Amino acid sequence: MISIIAIIALLAVAVFIFLQQPMFGKIPSGERLARIQKSPNFRDGSFQNLNHTPDLSEDATYYSVMKEFIFGEKKRVKPTDVIPSTKIDLLHLDPAKDVLVWFGHSSYFIQIDGKKILVDPVLSGAASPISFTTKAFQGTDAYTVEDLPAIDYLFISHDHWDHLDYDTVLKLKSKVGKVICGLGTGEHFESWGFDKNMIIEKDWNEEIILDNGFVAHTAPARHFSGRGILRNRALWTSFALKTPTFNFFIGGDSGYDTHFAQIGKNYGPFDLAILENGQYDKSWKYIHMMPEEVLQAAKDLGAKRLFPVHSSKFALGNHAWDEPLKRITEGNKSVNMPLITPIIGEQVNLKDTTQVFKQWWIGVE
């Protein structure tokens, strides 16, 4: 009995030491915590969603989810083929071009109206504090931080590992002008040596004047946050980004709810909605949308076009790696929403509504 207790104690100490590493960031404190505690979205010691959001659906338990994850049949969760990609020279991109380049999952680069924007970059090859787990699929790491130009605005939707990557943002530090994130996430950046004057962190439904003609609004999402044991100490958010000539919705992670229609009413219609579509499961349907719900969310937002992301790079759910793209294209047959589905690294011409994208995942095993 004594030896078992000793082993448990040693494991607890080891976990505690592991969690002290800089990559886990910091929990908000001081003036930042005082500001958070005044937020209408912060109650009972943590941020809350607009509507009741259970971690799991009514017919699921933590035991059933873990059992399925460990022992369940996994058909094609990871591709055996190399994911196709291409690479353009972002360092010497014509500044007059208005383009988007996807890096897989929820990471992408935007150049619009002379500004360069980066969203949720994860370019280290893994989406986990343990580098040999949750590794990127073969072929999806075409770009590195060294391939990126100076970034005017870095948008971070929330602090999960597949959206806020420690190795990537450290390498980006000298390239970024401003970091825009939800309230509380700035504590991570400050702990990693970012100047607090370059961090803009906001509560939901706040306005950020970035430059002449560039305005961002923080908006709700239905999700959660946390990089270690403690959850929901930093706010998860979506963004409505208006430039002089374009209106984006940057969705981050979210389950479906009434907030999409409200965002569409407040800030839409949108020239392009970028919404997560992947790493979902019926057991956590309240915090990640199913593909059919993504289409409905795009309609609620008043989107003219939809770019479904959060797929094709990391296996975080139990579905086949290509199922999100198959389901959304099938469901779209009755919706007819113009879809943007580039391969990783492909240049998306934002103002060319006639640009055609192949269903590149067909035939990729």
Side-chain angles (χ1 to χ4, degrees):
M1 177 63 70
I2 294 176
S3 61
I4 293 175
I5 294 174
I7 291 171
I8 293 173
L10 285 171
L11 287 173
V13 170
V15 170
F16 175 80
I17 293 172
F18 180 69
L19 292 174
Q20 305 314 303
Q21 295 181 83
M23 62 182 171
F24 286 93
K26 294 290 185 181
I27 300 298
S29 60
E31 293 181 5
R32 181 176 279 109
L33 178 58
R35 181 184 168 197
I36 287 171
Q37 290 171 335
K38 294 177 183 178
S39 167
N41 303 302
F42 189 86
R43 298 183 299 278
D44 302 322
S46 63
F47 281 106
Q48 306 289 332
N49 284 293
L50 292 178
N51 293 316
H52 177 58
T53 302
D55 292 339
L56 300 176
S57 58
E58 292 77 5
D59 56 350
T61 65
Y62 286 106
Y63 172 76
S64 67
V65 169
M66 289 302 297
K67 182 179 178 182
E68 182 180 4
F69 186 77
I70 297 172
F71 300 109
E73 185 178 8
K74 293 179 174 61
K75 292 184 177 179
R76 301 179 64 253
V77 171
K78 298 178 182 179
T80 55
D81 292 343
V82 175
I83 296 292
S85 66
T86 188
K87 192 169 184 178
I88 62 173
D89 185 358
L90 298 177
L91 295 173
H92 300 95
L93 191 64
D94 182 350
K97 289 185 176 180
D98 298 318
V99 302
L100 180 151
V101 177
W102 181 48
F103 304 134
H105 201 65
S106 290
S107 305
Y108 46 93
F109 167 87
I110 297 170
Q111 179 176 276
I112 184 78
D113 296 328
K115 298 293 185 183
K116 294 177 173 61
I117 298 161
L118 190 61
V119 178
D120 289 356
V122 180
L123 304 175
S124 66
S128 165
I130 304 172
S131 60
F132 60 83
T133 64
T134 321
K135 291 182 70 66
F137 301 155
Q138 282 186 292
T140 61
D141 274 333
Y143 289 84
T144 66
V145 171
E146 289 71 29
D147 296 316
L148 299 177
I151 301 297
D152 295 292
Y153 310 126
L154 170 63
F155 283 85
I156 300 293
S157 64
H158 62 299
D159 68 1
H160 284 160
W161 295 89
D162 59 321
H163 293 259
L164 176 54
D165 181 61
Y166 174 69
D167 289 341
T168 301
V169 299
L170 277 192
K171 292 178 181 177
L172 278 169
K173 192 185 302 184
S174 63
K175 291 191 173 192
V176 172
K178 294 290 184 182
V179 177
I180 299 101
C181 58
L183 186 56
T185 303
E187 190 84 25
H188 298 313
F189 281 91
E190 281 195 45
S191 75
W192 296 334
F194 281 71
D195 185 337
K196 66 179 181 180
N197 294 315
M198 66 187 293
I199 301 167
I200 303 172
E201 55 185 320
K202 296 289 186 179
D203 206 342
W204 287 339
N205 301 312
E206 292 195 290
E207 182 182 74
I208 306 167
I209 307 297
L210 295 169
D211 205 338
N212 186 31
F214 283 82
V215 181
H217 292 90
T218 49
R222 193 183 194 188
H223 200 55
F224 66 106
S225 67
R227 295 177 70 79
I229 294 174
L230 296 177
R231 297 176 63 174
N232 299 348
R233 299 306 197 269
L235 187 62
W236 50 100
T237 188
S238 60
F239 301 96
L241 173 62
K242 187 179 291 291
T243 82
T245 65
F246 212 81
N247 199 16
F248 292 95
F249 179 71
I250 298 172
D253 281 0
S254 180
Y256 184 74
D257 207 349
T258 56
H259 63 283
F260 288 112
Q262 190 62 50
I263 293 167
K265 181 179 179 181
N266 291 346
Y267 308 117
F270 293 95
D271 296 298
L272 177 62
I274 306 168
L275 293 170
E276 59 106 0
N277 173 54
Q279 319 324 309
Y280 48 75
D281 192 287
K282 64 184 186 301
S283 294
W284 57 79
K285 63 182 181 181
Y286 294 112
I287 55 174
H288 281 289
M289 288 186 285
M290 299 293 185
E292 297 75 19
E293 292 176 313
V294 177
L295 290 165
Q296 183 60 51
K299 290 181 64 179
D300 292 351
L301 290 163
K304 298 175 184 177
R305 288 186 289 171
L306 167 63
F307 178 21
V309 297
H310 213 248
S311 71
S312 309
K313 187 165 186 173
F314 302 113
L316 301 172
N318 286 325
H319 56 68
W321 76 268
D322 55 357
E323 182 186 291
L325 290 165
K326 287 182 176 180
R327 280 180 63 173
I328 202 164
T329 51
E330 181 63 29
N332 196 42
K333 290 178 179 178
S334 60
V335 177
N336 295 317
M337 171 68 66
L339 292 181
I340 291 177
T341 56
I343 65 171
I344 290 173
E346 181 178 357
Q347 180 173 302
V348 176
N349 301 313
L350 287 168
K351 295 176 182 175
D352 181 3
T353 58
T354 66
Q355 186 177 3
V356 176
F357 301 94
K358 297 179 179 178
Q359 294 187 13
W360 59 264
W361 53 92
I362 295 176
V364 180
E365 292 299 323

